Amino acid sequence: MNIRVFLRALAIAAVCAGCRAHGATAPNAGEVSLVVRSVSGPTSATSLQLEIINASEASLGYNLCANGRLDRLRAGQWDVVDMSGRACTLELRVLAGNAKTEEGYRLPSTTEAGTYRLVVGFSVESAGGGRVTASTDPFVVP
């Protein structure tokens, strides 16, 4: 493992340890929501405007690029979109309990017209850790 990557991961872990709140309970999947506010731009540069809602008391860590998965609906099944060529930063954002935020998410330039959903994994930064996953309702890319 590259020493810089290791040191960054160690620094993120140290910051997250300081973010842990005492007494908060771990969220369940229904307490974390991803809402697509708009889909804009041509297919080759489509961007989503998202609202992330944390209705739990726990702080959540996330990185939409590194912990987001784009699924496409084909023949009634969700297929994972290959995003292996995407470069992501190691930035960890923290959303406090009972808070919401807006984020932009750019779809890959190879995104074809169709029905999609975005699935994001969140790390629970308080309440003893763990993970929770949330997904958007299906949205259409023209």
Side-chain angles (χ1 to χ4, degrees):
M1 176 186 289
N2 183 325
I3 190 70
R4 286 184 180 168
V5 172
F6 176 75
L7 290 175
R8 274 192 194 152
L10 188 61
I12 289 171
V15 168
C16 291
C19 297
R20 298 192 192 283
H22 301 288
T25 58
N28 62 50
E31 293 178 308
V32 181
S33 306
L34 290 174
V35 179
V36 175
R37 292 292 179 207
S38 66
V39 180
S40 62
T43 304
S44 62
T46 302
S47 181
L48 303 178
Q49 187 60 37
L50 300 169
E51 183 176 40
I52 304 171
I53 303 165
N54 179 7
S56 76
E57 293 181 6
S59 296
L60 302 176
Y62 67 96
N63 179 317
L64 294 179
C65 182
N67 300 111
R69 180 186 83 225
L70 188 63
D71 294 341
R72 182 175 183 200
L73 187 62
R74 291 185 187 171
Q77 302 259 350
W78 289 109
D79 294 330
V80 177
V81 175
D82 179 18
M83 301 195 20
S84 59
R86 188 172 204 163
C88 299
T89 66
L90 294 178
E91 175 184 22
L92 179 70
R93 295 184 181 202
V94 177
L95 181 59
N98 296 305
K100 60 185 173 180
T101 189
E102 290 191 6
E103 296 277 350
Y105 183 83
R106 178 160 289 204
L107 299 177
S109 60
T110 56
T111 302
E112 300 172 5
T115 301
Y116 293 86
R117 71 178 178 188
L118 179 65
V119 181
V120 178
F122 295 87
S123 59
V124 180
E125 301 301 320
S126 54
R131 293 194 62 76
V132 65
T133 302
S135 63
T136 65
D137 286 337
F139 60 90
V140 175
V141 174

